[in-house]
Amino acid sequence: MKIDLSRLNLYILVRDLLQNIWVIILAAVIGLAGSITYYNHLYSHKYTSSMTIALNLKGYTQNATATSLGRTVDLAESLDDVFASGAIRDVVRSDIGEDMTASISAQQLGATNLIKISATDTTPIKAYKTLRSVYENYPKVTDYVFTNVVISVVENPQMPTDPSNSVPTSVMSVLFALIAAVVVAAAIALTSFFRDTVKNIGDVETELDARLFGAVYSVKRSKKNLPSATNRLIITNTFAGYAFAESYRKMAVKIESLSRTKSIKTFMVTSVAENEGKTTVSVNLAVALAQDGYKVLLMDCDLKKPAVYNFFDHIDRTPETDFHKYLEDGGALENYIKFDKETGLYLAQSVSPYSNTSEILSSNSFSEALSFLSTQFDFIIIDTPPCGIAVDAEVVSGMVDAYVMVTMQDYVRVSDINDHIENFTKPYFAGCIFNNICGFGQDPAEQDIPDNTLKEGAR
């Protein structure tokens, strides 16, 4: 499987790691506690008893030739295999009269005629007892193998006092804790990387069945410029910044172009899930068009959870002038549309939620009102509920000219977005607005596609 590293977003990767830092810490604690428990209670210590023998040819003296000494060295190379053989084990087993659990090993000490013989077992007594038996009975085997060799003991078997396989418990425990933390962090990182969401601007056109209509970066805000409940993130607010405003002005130009080339006037804004910022996008697209001198109506058709009114707290609002009241009861349409002098927008909004939304939006009263209003305004921007939650957006889509899909960075699965794009068959699909983009060291004002968006206040 080919891994596409272009989809790697370091900001998202680090964010996921920081969001799961307690999981990583917990894994380290579990690794630390587990290793301490293992080494203190479950780890099997081994004890090794050793002795050293020397191998000489019969008749060897201090004046022996170097050739004779060389032969003993060669014989020692084969004799160490004899001491580790099954024959020695059989002799020792017969001598001690019980099953032998120790392991016997023999090793030539460099290029010499010395051999170190060791017995290793779970207790010092067992190890020493086994080696002592080897010491007393090895001639029963070696005398048949080497007839012209004299074996002498240089160092007698010693009772071991400390384990031969002891480990620094504190160091190993810390090491296991680090390994556990790294493994969990790696699992989180892999999950983050392979999560099937839209992480980068390039993913919009490579992963989605859509073109990129616009990109909006996350606004960097300090405590001094945080918007209050009555001061939402709109391009007319100075704290939003130049890049944020410019991103919507560019999208407004695209809408104007669609109006000229495809006669598009009614424009629906939706998303797959909640909290992707579609209401913020709807408001700012409408404001950007109004600033260009167009007569624009912003219509809130998210009737179950109306939110447009939150951006215009300076306008008087009462449930009696809710737009859905007109759709229910009729009357003079102009009484349900308000004008905002600050932004130059006309608003058809609701304050109170409405339950039977799909029925009222599919009614003749709505289609007739939309048809009439499209003759009175240059553009109508319609905020609809998330299409992944309610059918309202699909209902409205049958009555509008075009729509955009707001997609927040790393939020909804690519497959879910594509599935819902396929569900809209009638209106022209202008593309996706990639929203709330975050990244390391990014200055949206310097990007090819300038931007910025709101987390709080996004719906």
Side-chain angles (χ1 to χ4, degrees):
M1 181 181 67
K2 185 178 179 180
I3 297 177
D4 185 7
L5 293 179
S6 65
R7 300 201 65 209
L8 175 65
N9 187 302
L10 290 178
Y11 175 86
I12 293 174
L13 185 64
V14 173
R15 182 203 65 191
D16 288 348
L17 289 172
L18 292 177
Q19 287 178 347
N20 292 279
I21 189 65
W22 291 111
V23 177
I24 299 172
I25 293 174
L26 180 60
V29 171
I30 292 174
L32 182 67
S35 61
I36 292 175
T37 300
Y38 172 73
Y39 283 117
N40 288 342
H41 302 286
L42 302 176
Y43 183 68
S44 179
H45 289 289
K46 300 291 184 180
Y47 295 85
T48 300
S49 179
S50 302
M51 70 177 184
T52 304
I53 64 172
L55 180 65
N56 294 299
L57 294 177
K58 289 181 179 180
Y60 174 78
T61 66
Q62 293 295 329
N63 297 323
T65 64
T67 301
S68 298
L69 182 59
R71 287 190 59 196
T72 61
V73 172
D74 293 339
L75 288 172
E77 292 180 2
S78 58
L79 190 62
D80 59 358
D81 293 331
V82 174
F83 273 96
S85 68
I88 288 290
R89 294 182 65 85
D90 291 340
V91 170
V92 172
R93 187 182 296 111
S94 176
D95 178 55
I96 63 178
E98 59 184 38
D99 289 339
M100 187 181 66
T101 58
S103 61
I104 302 173
S105 62
Q107 181 180 11
Q108 184 181 14
L109 300 180
T112 69
N113 64 332
L114 300 177
I115 298 176
K116 182 178 181 180
I117 305 170
S118 302
T120 302
D121 213 326
T122 55
T123 66
I125 292 294
K126 288 183 178 181
Y128 177 74
K129 185 178 179 180
T130 299
L131 189 63
R132 190 71 190 180
S133 180
V134 173
Y135 169 73
E136 294 173 351
N137 295 282
Y138 72 83
K140 295 179 181 179
V141 176
T142 58
D143 287 352
Y144 288 99
V145 179
F146 303 100
T147 57
N148 62 336
V149 172
V150 176
I151 298 175
S152 57
V153 176
V154 177
E155 183 181 359
N156 290 327
Q158 301 293 321
M159 176 75 75
T161 56
D162 297 315
S164 56
N165 63 339
S166 61
V167 295
T169 304
S170 57
V171 174
M172 293 302 296
S173 297
V174 172
L175 179 60
F176 271 103
L178 290 175
I179 291 174
V182 169
V183 168
V184 172
I188 294 171
L190 288 173
T191 301
S192 175
F193 177 75
F194 287 106
R195 187 165 52 240
D196 187 28
T197 56
V198 184
K199 298 183 177 68
N200 303 302
I201 289 178
D203 293 345
V204 174
E205 295 189 345
T206 59
E207 303 297 323
L208 299 181
D209 299 330
R211 64 176 63 89
L212 180 67
F213 190 79
V216 185
Y217 281 77
S218 177
V219 173
K220 297 179 181 178
R221 293 167 294 164
S222 65
K223 292 182 179 179
K224 294 181 180 180
N225 63 16
L226 281 173
S228 65
T230 58
N231 193 22
R232 299 286 178 172
L233 188 58
I234 307 179
I235 59 176
T236 54
N237 293 329
T238 56
F239 66 77
Y242 169 80
F244 180 82
E246 192 65 16
S247 63
Y248 283 101
R249 292 190 183 105
K250 284 192 173 184
M251 286 187 277
V253 170
K254 290 185 178 182
I255 294 175
E256 295 166 16
S257 176
L258 289 174
S259 176
R260 292 191 300 270
T261 59
K262 297 183 179 295
S263 300
I264 289 174
K265 298 185 68 175
T266 53
F267 208 79
M268 183 183 80
V269 179
T270 189
S271 62
V272 173
E274 290 185 304
N275 303 314
E276 294 197 72
K278 64 175 183 57
T279 301
T280 301
V281 169
S282 301
V283 171
N284 284 287
L285 285 177
V287 172
L289 289 168
Q291 286 185 334
D292 285 345
Y294 293 99
K295 186 179 181 182
V296 182
L297 172 66
L298 175 59
M299 184 181 293
D300 190 351
C301 286
D302 190 351
L303 301 179
K304 281 191 174 72
K305 295 182 178 180
V308 168
Y309 72 91
N310 288 321
F311 290 79
F312 305 94
D313 282 355
H314 53 279
I315 296 179
D316 292 335
R317 49 190 183 176
T318 60
E320 289 72 22
T321 58
D322 280 356
F323 181 60
H324 66 76
K325 291 288 186 181
Y326 168 78
L327 299 179
E328 283 183 298
D329 306 328
L333 183 55
E334 61 270 17
N335 294 334
Y336 297 88
I337 297 176
K338 298 184 178 182
F339 179 71
D340 177 32
K341 293 181 180 180
E342 292 186 11
T343 59
L345 274 182
Y346 291 86
L347 305 170
Q349 59 185 10
S350 296
V351 177
S352 58
Y354 183 77
S355 56
N356 299 324
T357 55
S358 59
E359 295 179 9
I360 200 169
L361 291 174
S362 60
S363 65
N364 290 333
S365 59
F366 177 71
S367 61
E368 290 172 0
L370 186 59
S371 178
F372 171 74
L373 291 170
S374 64
T375 65
Q376 305 300 308
F377 292 91
D378 297 319
F379 294 102
I380 299 177
I381 305 298
I382 303 173
D383 180 33
T384 62
C387 57
I389 296 176
V391 298
D392 298 15
E394 291 186 46
V395 172
V396 175
S397 70
M399 307 175 196
V400 298
D401 300 325
Y403 81 99
V404 290
M405 183 76 72
V406 177
T407 300
M408 192 166 82
Q409 184 184 37
D410 191 40
Y411 195 71
V412 179
R413 292 191 308 173
V414 167
S415 57
D416 291 339
I417 300 172
N418 285 332
D419 287 344
H420 286 288
I421 290 174
E422 292 177 0
N423 290 337
F424 294 103
T425 56
K426 179 184 180 300
Y428 174 77
F429 182 33
C432 280
I433 298 176
F434 193 33
N435 197 24
N436 201 38
I437 309 170
C438 298
F440 289 127
Q442 295 182 126
D443 183 358
E446 297 178 358
Q447 304 295 324
D448 292 335
I449 305 175
D451 5 83
N452 273 305
T453 264
L454 177 69
K455 286 184 179 178
E456 299 96 26
R459 274 193 16 84

